[in-house]
Amino acid sequence: MSNWIFLFVAILSETIATSALKLSDGFTKLGPSIVVVIAYVTSFYFLSQTLKVIPIGIAYAVWSGV
């Protein structure tokens, strides 16, 4: 069960990072730029933990669907 939670945390983090990317204005604004970096690192970490158990095809399908 926790693997699915990890996947949804990864998806949420990626969504936050992508949203903050526009706000960072080309990484010229410090606050949103820090959010982008932290959220993408979080997203990649939780995705890597998820892929230890859930096959990449299924994880990607869920990621795309959400």
Side-chain angles (χ1 to χ4, degrees):
M1 184 66 175
S2 66
N3 296 309
W4 291 104
I5 293 171
F6 284 175
L7 180 59
F8 286 111
V9 169
I11 293 168
L12 181 63
S13 298
E14 191 269 338
T15 304
I16 290 169
T18 302
S19 298
L21 194 57
K22 181 173 176 60
L23 297 174
S24 73
D25 196 28
F27 290 101
T28 58
K29 296 181 181 174
L30 183 61
S33 297
I34 291 171
V35 171
V36 168
V37 171
I38 291 172
Y40 274 133
V41 167
T42 302
S43 179
F44 282 118
Y45 172 76
F46 280 103
L47 181 61
S48 71
Q49 296 303 305
T50 299
L51 294 178
K52 290 180 181 178
V53 178
I54 299 172
I56 193 166
I58 294 172
Y60 183 71
V62 172
W63 188 295
S64 298
V66 172

